[in-house]
Amino acid sequence: MACSKGQHKKSFNDVTVVKECLSAAAETLLEGKQKDELCDKIKQIPMSATTTIRKSEILADDVLLQLEEAMQSAECISLAMDESTDVTDNAQLLVYVRFFHKEICEDLLGVRALETHTRGEDIYDAVKEMLIKRGIDPKKVISVTTDGAPAMVGREKGAVTRMKEDNTDLIAYHCIIHQTVLCASVKEEFHEVMSTMIKIINFLRASSSHQHRLLKDFLREVEANANDLLLHNNVRWLSKGNTLARFWSIRNEIKMFLQQLRSQRATQFLMFLQDEHNMDMVAFLVDITAHLNELNLKLQGPNNLISDLMAAVRSFQKKLEIFKVDLQEECTHFPTVKEQIQEDRDKFLYTDFIDKLMRNFSQRFDGFTLGKHLLLLIQNPYLIREVREFSKEATQTFKWAHPGSLQLQLTDLQADVALGEHFEASDPATFWQQIVPEAAYPDLTKVALHTLTMFGSTYNCESAFSVMNNIKNKHRSRLTNKHLHMCMRMALTTFKPRFKLLTEQSHAHFSH
């Protein structure tokens, strides 16, 4: 029950509800002596908050021990790091680890409260302490992924810079998801339009509860396509596209509602919405943010391979070229623009926006740390044609790799028809870890497994912070850092507590 509490992010006191439910179920389903015996046993189960905390600590220690044992058998590991604040403004550093243990394993290495400063040296000390505590040699860490914050990647005092002093072969790069968000930053005229749209939505949706109720009632009365607007969240940038799309679907009804309001702000907002040039830009933003949202959703999720993330980015770069031509012709990929903008209007502003997107993506990803041939080794090694170029990329990334051995082993692999059939029938991780004989392809297998181990993004960290905010919320703000970290481990770990073993080691203390 303590395990269930931890996994479902509930309060330590909530387990008493389970006891009540068990008793009620026993009284309903059973009769006579059998009911009395089971009810007596249920009453004896210790479920005080103190007992639940102690049991949760035991379970958390057990899954952590399993993680340590699994990491000891791994040839290499990769880290993903991020820092955020909890509900009481305490800075929390979260570190995820990724390695091979029968299969790709992603788990929480540790959480550390940064009680005073969040400088690079503080983050470095916290990460080093986690590694030492888990018995991990810093040289075993082959890569680290961060959000690109100065404290993380600063040239002189950043945490990653200090980690490279311990391990000169460490590969560090910026989270791919975060980079795509930076590429898509709205600026200049579009920024002003977007800002005004958010102000309009906040004015209607959040400035007055009475006005919000009137808006919902009006939308129901006129049978609009939606019964409310969506609020924009600055942290969750995907909400921009969803917010605009919802607004566009009921824009005419919003104009009608603004006409009924007798305020200067409502009049100003109505004038903005009646301006065709403004609405043209809003229409474009609805479509382009939908495309960007689609890319972002492809990049999200646990256990994603870095090769798959980069494939999605490369694909989107090619789509931008298609989008630019399409804007000048049929607007097949921009249905909102096609609906709003007349053919005789100039679309230079929108094609220029696409040009800037293309330049931003090119600047950030054309020189990505892992070359396309190295990533192709994971996606499909049988499609690599330039063997020498592949070995060059591999040796630039992994200093220990020998180009001659890689060239010969890749050539042998591509000539092995039987292995080729296995590749078609399995996923890349299974193929390289379980099917390719390491004795025959030692260097090639090592390069592949090291690449598969790398994090492509800090998605796990971002998801874990959401879990943290569920656990330590305004109703549980007094939760200590120790118990917060324990609860997070229980909620996030991929390992299962060894209940049988723990039961054999413990002694029951029944309630009276």
Side-chain angles (χ1 to χ4, degrees):
M1 293 179 185
C3 178
S4 179
K5 180 221 69 73
Q7 290 175 339
H8 293 282
K9 304 173 278 292
K10 297 298 183 180
S11 169
F12 296 117
N13 293 317
D14 285 357
V15 290
T16 55
V17 177
V18 179
K19 195 171 181 178
E20 293 175 8
C21 293
L22 287 174
S23 298
E27 291 176 358
T28 303
L29 299 175
L30 303 176
E31 293 181 355
K33 184 178 180 180
Q34 192 178 18
K35 180 187 75 172
D36 296 336
E37 289 178 352
L38 183 56
C39 286
D40 288 340
K41 290 180 179 180
I42 292 173
K43 290 176 182 178
Q44 291 179 3
I45 299 174
M47 283 191 178
S48 67
T50 304
T51 302
T52 305
I53 292 172
R54 186 175 66 252
K55 289 183 177 180
S56 296
E57 290 172 348
I58 293 171
L59 295 174
D61 289 341
D62 180 63
V63 294
L64 180 56
L65 181 60
Q66 292 181 61
L67 174 63
E68 291 177 357
E69 293 171 351
M71 286 192 294
Q72 294 303 320
S73 63
E75 180 182 343
C76 61
I77 67 171
S78 291
L79 304 179
M81 311 188 310
D82 203 355
E83 176 266 326
S84 185
T85 55
D86 60 28
V87 70
T88 55
D89 289 332
N90 290 327
Q92 303 285 352
L93 173 68
L94 194 147
V95 182
Y96 252 82
V97 63
R98 179 181 171 110
F99 58 95
F100 267 102
H101 176 65
K102 300 178 182 177
E103 59 183 5
I104 294 178
C105 179
E106 293 181 355
D107 212 302
L108 180 65
L109 178 66
V111 190
R112 170 73 180 273
L114 303 176
E115 297 179 355
T116 53
H117 300 288
T118 56
R119 301 167 301 190
E121 58 194 86
D122 302 303
I123 295 173
Y124 166 75
D125 290 339
V127 174
K128 190 170 183 179
E129 182 183 336
M130 288 181 196
L131 294 174
I132 293 173
K133 233 177 181 180
R134 306 284 87 84
I136 301 173
D137 185 347
K139 293 188 181 298
K140 201 173 183 178
V141 181
I142 61 167
S143 73
V144 57
T145 308
T146 71
D147 62 353
M152 292 287 187
V153 298
R155 185 175 299 179
E156 295 181 2
K157 297 183 179 181
V160 173
T161 303
R162 291 172 177 265
M163 292 175 68
K164 285 185 176 180
E165 294 175 359
D166 297 333
N167 182 5
T168 55
D169 293 335
L170 181 69
I171 302 167
Y173 46 88
H174 194 169
C175 165
I176 293 174
I177 297 178
H178 194 252
Q179 288 199 72
T180 60
V181 174
L182 293 177
C183 288
S185 297
V186 178
K187 296 181 179 179
E188 300 168 0
E189 295 175 75
F190 289 99
H191 175 76
E192 185 178 345
V193 170
M194 177 71 81
S195 177
T196 304
M197 288 298 298
I198 299 304
K199 289 178 182 178
I200 294 174
I201 293 169
N202 288 340
F203 169 72
L204 294 170
R205 177 75 167 73
S207 63
S208 165
S209 57
H210 176 246
Q211 184 166 279
H212 184 209
R213 290 195 298 272
L214 291 176
L215 172 65
K216 291 192 293 183
D217 184 66
F218 176 79
L219 293 175
R220 282 194 297 269
E221 184 180 333
V222 297
E223 298 182 349
N225 292 328
N227 59 10
D228 202 357
L229 290 168
L230 296 178
L231 279 176
H232 166 60
N233 186 328
N234 285 321
V235 177
R236 302 179 186 276
W237 81 279
L238 274 176
S239 67
K240 285 182 180 178
N242 297 333
T243 298
L244 288 178
R246 172 66 64 86
F247 184 93
W248 186 264
S249 68
I250 54 175
R251 64 192 184 283
N252 293 325
E253 289 82 359
I254 294 299
K255 291 179 184 177
M256 293 166 58
F257 182 74
L258 286 172
Q259 288 175 344
Q260 298 179 5
L261 300 180
R262 297 179 179 179
S263 72
Q264 186 176 357
R265 291 190 70 192
T267 302
Q268 291 174 346
F269 290 145
L270 179 61
M271 291 175 60
F272 174 88
L273 297 178
Q274 290 174 337
D275 187 297
E276 289 297 324
H277 178 67
N278 290 336
M279 297 310 292
D280 289 353
M281 286 196 283
V282 172
F284 174 73
L285 287 173
V286 169
D287 288 331
I288 196 62
T289 52
H291 292 306
L292 291 166
N293 286 2
E294 183 181 354
L295 169 64
N296 192 277
L297 289 173
K298 286 181 179 179
L299 299 177
Q300 293 187 35
N303 298 314
N304 278 333
L305 302 181
I306 191 170
S307 55
D308 293 338
L309 299 189
M310 283 306 301
V313 171
R314 301 296 185 206
S315 174
F316 188 76
Q317 286 181 279
K318 293 180 179 179
K319 287 179 182 178
L320 287 175
E321 298 175 6
I322 297 174
F323 293 160
K324 181 180 178 181
V325 176
D326 183 56
L327 266 174
Q328 298 167 331
E329 297 177 355
E330 299 176 350
C331 289
T332 303
H333 302 288
F334 293 86
T336 312
V337 171
K338 188 174 184 178
E339 174 191 353
Q340 170 67 21
I341 302 178
Q342 303 300 320
E343 293 184 3
D344 58 344
R345 295 185 197 170
D346 186 12
K347 297 177 184 176
F348 171 78
L349 191 62
Y350 315 118
T351 56
D352 183 59
F353 186 98
I354 300 294
D355 280 332
K356 289 180 180 178
L357 273 181
M358 292 167 65
R359 286 196 297 272
N360 289 344
F361 273 86
S362 178
Q363 289 170 2
R364 288 190 173 273
F365 292 106
D366 285 358
F368 189 70
T369 304
L370 304 183
K372 62 179 182 179
H373 291 90
L374 183 56
L375 294 174
L376 192 57
L377 178 71
I378 306 303
Q379 294 173 298
N380 193 336
Y382 295 92
L383 295 180
I384 298 177
R385 298 290 176 260
E386 301 176 21
V387 178
R388 292 176 62 87
E389 186 63 30
F390 158 73
S391 65
K392 181 181 178 181
E393 289 181 0
T395 51
Q396 285 177 345
T397 304
F398 306 108
K399 307 302 180 185
W400 44 261
H402 188 273
S405 299
L406 290 174
Q407 292 170 14
L408 297 179
Q409 289 174 27
L410 178 59
T411 303
D412 289 341
L413 179 76
Q414 292 178 337
D416 193 324
V417 179
L419 278 180
E421 292 180 354
H422 280 295
F423 180 83
E424 296 294 333
S426 61
D427 61 89
T430 303
F431 176 75
W432 284 108
Q433 190 189 30
Q434 301 179 15
I435 298 176
V436 177
E438 186 177 353
Y441 309 97
D443 294 341
L444 200 63
T445 304
K446 188 175 181 180
V447 167
L449 293 179
H450 276 52
T451 306
L452 283 165
T453 301
M454 295 182 181
F455 278 103
S457 71
T458 57
Y459 171 84
N460 291 54
C461 297
E462 299 293 344
S463 300
F465 285 131
S466 296
V467 171
M468 178 183 74
N469 291 330
N470 284 335
I471 294 173
K472 188 173 181 178
N473 52 47
K474 63 181 181 179
H475 303 294
R476 298 181 72 192
S477 59
R478 296 176 63 185
L479 194 68
T480 65
N481 286 322
K482 177 185 176 181
H483 291 151
L484 170 63
H485 302 165
M486 175 189 71
C487 291
M488 290 181 68
R489 182 166 299 283
M490 290 298 299
L492 297 168
T493 185
T494 56
F495 292 93
K496 302 294 182 183
R498 295 170 290 191
F499 292 107
K500 188 174 182 180
L501 176 63
L502 295 174
T503 302
E504 293 172 353
Q505 295 174 348
S506 65
H507 300 282
H509 299 281
F510 296 110
S511 300
H512 300 287

